[in-house]
Amino acid sequence: MNFLKIVNTKFRCATTPKTLKHLNLKFFNRISFILIAFQLLFLLNHSMAQGEQDRALYSGVFSIGEFWQGSAEYQYSIHRRDTIFDGPFKFESSRRMPDDKSILTGISYAGKYAKGEKDGSWLFSLKQFEVSENFYIKGNLLVKEANGFEYLVEGKFKNGLADGRWTANKFLVANSNIVDTVFHAQGIAKNGVLTDKFTAYKKDIALSAKFNDTGKPSGEWKLLHKGPNGMVLEEFRFFQNGKLTEHYFRLNNRRVEVRHSGLTLDADDDENWEERPMDELYFKALEFSTIHQNEFRTPFHDSTHASTPEIMGKSNQAIENFMHSFSRYDSLDIWTKLPGASSVTKPVILLKKFPMSRADERKRKEVGELYMEATTMVEIFLSNLLLEVSQHAHKEIARNVKVMEILQDRLQKLTPCVDRVTDDALLYVDRDQLIPHITPIITYPSSIDFELKGKPFSTVFDFPSPLLPENGSLHSIHHHTERILQIARELSEETSDILERYQLEGELTEREERLVEKRDSVLALYRNEAGREDFNRFHERISEAVTSLAKEEFKRYARLDIDQKIDQIKAVQNCYREAIEAYEMIERIPLRIERLEEIYTRSVWNAYTFTYMDERIKDRLYRVYENTLLPLVIDDMVANVECGKLKVKQQNMVNLYQRMVELRDQDTREMERQLRRVSDPEEIMQILSLNLNLN
């Protein structure tokens, strides 16, 4: 206010009250504006100074991914406990290759971050040198000469996205000097995608391409294939907003069109087009569409002995390498391992997707599964060493081996077709046009010839129907593969049974010796030849029946021919095992009877005799067990001494004992009341809820 008073006094004589009021207001506004500007400038400088103070410098150990550990130097700040890269960044690392210790590989990064995002110029270098044994002195250093290569990528970022000029070079290094550039790529990126012109070359192929502002191929793409004696084959691909519209080769003013069968090239067709990265699937679709075009003969082809699909495959591989040259080297993703990492994305193309029904999609998936199972089964079959000998002794095995060899050969012929049918690129070509071209000619002989014991044999076999290109379809390929697998399964099972029998024939003598030992063990037990103390009255009752069974079963087996013996020997062994188990069960019967007597008896104090007296509890229930059920089970077992039945009869004894133990602690008054009026075993078992398998 004092300043305003001075100014007003100075101009008071020259102004009227009206003009003075106007001047005071105008001058005050100007002064206020100046003061506010000074205050904002002060706050901005203070904020910037404070920001500089918040940033810190790190220098030390740093890792990129799992494999690259080295040293880094960078500026950073802390925001909400997160480390934010902000400022210059440098990283260096080197390591010996795990599979070759003589190779030393190093990588380095140099660039700048702005609040966690890459910004400005960045450089990536990968160097791979052979580790030589020779040193030389340079000043106070021991130095080795470097021989190998360097892969160098330089590019610009803006707010974390590739933006500006990008280059990738691969230099050959000999004696620490760059001697050649074997790879070069150069392009312009905008918002993370390639735009405008792109050029690249390596060895014997060069590319000149164009992109529109959205990163889609547009206009002329020209490839130069260098051949022998300075010969150059030109290849042209024309794109319209990501759609391939024209494709041809030119050599010495001769033009040859590339016919992409089953791949729509009509730029005006807007139905079912899908945006996709220019990746392996896209190039597979291109490959599939030119499978039919094997003839394109020019002096270039005569010199290189390459077909059109082979040259196209080389072109596609080169284009794919060129397109990711800024973001990847071999399997190393250059930028994605770093924070704030967004590299040059792959170009986007348009492919027409041909709809597929659920049934066809299921068949397409099953073709691969059927093929893999059949191939594995055939390989396992033919690698069985037992076939080396047995195929010369058994006619069926000799025939099956020959059939499996034929199936293996046909599966190998089917391999390229199955690979293409199961590839997702199949969805982007017209399958009705493509599949006949990828369907191989697979036929089978009307009969198969083989030798057995030096004599020739010939026999017919029910092979699958021929698979031919003219009837090639997803259904016919699926059906043919399914039939091959069916035959492989049948022959594998049949041969396995024969081989098992073949092995059993060799083992039969040894198995029969063990069978005799087991028979003698049964006879010795039931005759009580060893005078065992556990041989009881129940053994005596069943002894004659079991010994008779053991002898008769062996006689019956001995009268069989060799094939029948192989089939029956296991059953006879099981019969003898049942007899031994029955002996052990009968051995425990007296102990179980004693146990039941014990739990169904209690001691009662007699006041007249001043002694304890034993008293039966649940007397009616126990007498039914003792007088009816136990004799019934024993008699049934003695009367049914047969192979296969002994085990069932043993279980009857176990069930009876367990049920009596259960009833001891249950309220059985109603059961005992009902037992007064019945004597039939079936009714008794029903009242007691006792499950016995009696004859």
Side-chain angles (χ1 to χ4, degrees), residues 312-353:
M312 268 199 56
K314 179 181 176 182
S315 300
N316 293 338
Q317 185 63 55
I319 292 173
E320 189 174 7
N321 290 340
F322 291 149
M323 291 302 104
H324 64 59
S325 58
F326 302 141
S327 58
R328 195 175 76 204
Y329 182 80
D330 285 344
S331 60
L332 174 64
D333 288 326
I334 296 175
W335 304 107
T336 57
K337 300 296 183 182
L338 285 175
S342 179
S343 182
V344 180
T345 59
K346 292 179 179 178
V348 175
I349 50 83
L350 292 174
L351 274 178
K352 183 174 181 177
K353 191 169 187 178

Side-chain angles (χ1 to χ4, degrees), residues 178-235:
I178 295 175
V179 296
D180 194 8
T181 303
V182 294
F183 180 96
H184 172 78
Q186 178 175 311
I188 304 296
K190 188 71 174 177
N191 294 325
V193 299
L194 289 172
T195 61
D196 203 10
K197 294 181 180 180
F198 176 90
T199 58
Y201 67 82
K202 67 172 186 174
K203 289 187 178 179
D204 53 359
I205 189 168
L207 169 68
S208 174
K210 294 180 181 178
F211 296 91
N212 61 19
D213 292 340
T214 62
K216 295 186 179 72
S218 184
E220 179 187 277
W221 282 42
K222 181 178 181 180
L223 292 111
L224 300 179
H225 300 265
K226 298 178 183 179
N229 302 319
M231 188 180 300
V232 176
L233 174 68
E234 295 178 302
E235 180 182 353

Side-chain angles (χ1 to χ4, degrees), residues 84-270:
I84 307 298
F85 292 86
D86 197 4
F89 177 94
K90 290 183 180 180
F91 172 82
E92 290 184 342
S93 174
S94 61
R95 60 194 289 262
R96 291 181 184 268
M97 301 305 291
D99 54 344
D100 188 352
K101 299 299 183 182
S102 65
I103 301 296
L104 186 65
T105 303
I107 65 170
S108 64
Y109 291 89
K112 189 181 72 170
Y113 280 97
K115 297 181 179 179
E117 300 286 356
K118 289 188 181 65
D119 196 68
S121 297
W122 273 79
L123 181 146
F124 165 82
S125 172
L126 182 146
K127 299 177 181 179
Q128 193 170 93
F129 297 139
E130 294 180 3
V131 180
S132 64
E133 297 180 356
N134 300 322
F135 289 89
Y136 68 90
I137 297 174
K138 185 176 182 179
N140 292 325
L141 299 175
L142 288 175
V143 180
K144 286 186 176 183
E145 295 284 3
N147 294 286
F149 70 86
E150 178 183 16
Y151 189 75
L152 186 67
V153 179
E154 296 179 90
K156 293 180 180 294
F157 286 91
K158 184 178 180 181
N159 298 325
L161 297 175
D163 200 285
R165 184 174 180 271
W166 280 74
T167 62
N169 291 283
K170 186 175 182 179
F171 304 114
L172 290 185
V173 177
N175 298 323
S176 300
N177 294 311
I178 295 175
V179 296
D180 194 8
T181 303
V182 294
F183 180 96
H184 172 78
Q186 178 175 311
I188 304 296
K190 188 71 174 177
N191 294 325
V193 299
L194 289 172
T195 61
D196 203 10
K197 294 181 180 180
F198 176 90
T199 58
Y201 67 82
K202 67 172 186 174
K203 289 187 178 179
D204 53 359
I205 189 168
L207 169 68
S208 174
K210 294 180 181 178
F211 296 91
N212 61 19
D213 292 340
T214 62
K216 295 186 179 72
S218 184
E220 179 187 277
W221 282 42
K222 181 178 181 180
L223 292 111
L224 300 179
H225 300 265
K226 298 178 183 179
N229 302 319
M231 188 180 300
V232 176
L233 174 68
E234 295 178 302
E235 180 182 353
F236 294 90
R237 304 184 186 192
F238 289 87
F239 293 88
Q240 185 173 326
N241 194 32
K243 296 180 182 178
L244 178 63
T245 59
E246 189 178 7
H247 189 186
Y248 63 88
F249 289 97
R250 188 170 67 191
L251 179 66
N252 298 330
N253 295 321
R254 178 190 171 192
R255 171 170 164 161
V256 178
E257 299 288 340
V258 178
R259 300 186 307 277
H260 290 274
S261 176
L263 185 72
T264 300
L265 301 181
D266 186 359
D268 296 326
D269 179 10
D270 294 327

Side-chain angles (χ1 to χ4, degrees), residues 300-574:
F300 183 87
H301 294 75
D302 294 335
S303 300
T304 60
H305 304 289
S307 65
T308 303
E310 289 172 335
I311 293 180
M312 268 199 56
K314 179 181 176 182
S315 300
N316 293 338
Q317 185 63 55
I319 292 173
E320 189 174 7
N321 290 340
F322 291 149
M323 291 302 104
H324 64 59
S325 58
F326 302 141
S327 58
R328 195 175 76 204
Y329 182 80
D330 285 344
S331 60
L332 174 64
D333 288 326
I334 296 175
W335 304 107
T336 57
K337 300 296 183 182
L338 285 175
S342 179
S343 182
V344 180
T345 59
K346 292 179 179 178
V348 175
I349 50 83
L350 292 174
L351 274 178
K352 183 174 181 177
K353 191 169 187 178
F354 291 80
M356 178 177 283
S357 67
R358 289 185 178 180
D360 283 349
E361 182 59 42
R362 177 180 54 80
K363 283 185 178 180
R364 190 174 78 93
K365 180 181 178 182
E366 287 179 356
V367 164
E369 296 171 351
L370 295 169
Y371 169 82
M372 286 300 299
E373 186 176 351
T375 301
T376 302
M377 189 169 292
V378 171
E379 289 177 352
I380 292 174
F381 179 93
L382 294 176
S383 63
N384 191 336
L385 297 179
L386 292 175
L387 297 176
E388 292 293 329
V389 176
S390 59
Q391 67 176 317
H392 300 292
H394 293 272
K395 183 178 179 180
E396 292 81 2
I397 292 182
R399 180 205 63 180
N400 293 351
V401 169
K402 188 67 177 179
V403 172
M404 285 294 209
E405 289 174 346
I406 293 172
L407 293 183
Q408 186 178 54
D409 175 76
R410 300 314 188 264
L411 284 168
Q412 290 174 352
K413 291 181 179 179
L414 195 60
T415 301
C417 175
V418 172
D419 288 344
R420 288 160 179 159
V421 165
T422 55
D423 197 299
D424 286 343
L426 186 76
L427 303 175
Y428 297 91
V429 293
D430 189 335
R431 292 177 291 280
D432 293 336
Q433 294 186 42
L434 172 67
I435 291 181
H437 289 297
I438 65 175
T439 302
I441 298 174
I442 297 181
T443 59
Y444 297 89
S446 57
S447 62
I448 54 175
D449 302 320
F450 57 92
E451 282 192 2
L452 182 67
K453 298 178 181 178
K455 295 181 180 180
F457 283 84
S458 181
T459 184
V460 296
F461 188 84
D462 185 19
F463 283 108
S465 301
L467 183 64
L468 303 172
E470 52 264 32
N471 56 28
S473 66
L474 187 58
H475 173 76
S476 63
I477 295 169
H478 180 277
H479 179 72
H480 194 90
T481 312
E482 189 176 39
R483 177 68 181 129
I484 290 177
L485 176 58
Q486 181 185 0
I487 294 173
R489 282 174 176 166
E490 292 172 355
L491 297 188
S492 293
E493 292 174 4
E494 179 184 346
T495 305
S496 178
D497 292 341
I498 296 173
L499 288 176
E500 183 179 0
R501 184 176 296 273
Y502 180 72
Q503 287 181 287
L504 290 176
E505 287 179 6
E507 299 170 358
L508 187 59
T509 301
E510 183 180 346
R511 296 178 72 189
E512 286 180 340
E513 290 176 357
R514 293 198 298 269
L515 183 67
V516 171
E517 292 175 358
K518 189 149 289 191
R519 180 205 62 181
D520 292 343
S521 296
V522 172
L523 295 175
L525 282 173
Y526 283 90
R527 288 172 177 169
N528 197 22
E529 294 177 356
R532 294 166 58 117
E533 293 182 0
D534 54 23
F535 190 82
N536 56 51
R537 59 189 175 93
F538 301 104
H539 287 126
E540 290 177 357
R541 283 197 60 188
I542 203 171
S543 173
E544 184 177 349
V546 175
T547 54
S548 176
L549 173 69
K551 290 187 289 185
E552 290 302 319
E553 277 296 304
F554 192 82
K555 287 179 182 179
R556 183 188 64 79
Y557 169 79
R559 289 192 292 266
L560 300 174
D561 60 36
I562 189 168
D563 288 336
Q564 292 173 320
K565 284 182 176 180
I566 291 172
D567 292 333
Q568 293 292 319
I569 189 170
K570 189 173 183 179
V572 180
Q573 288 173 332
N574 290 338

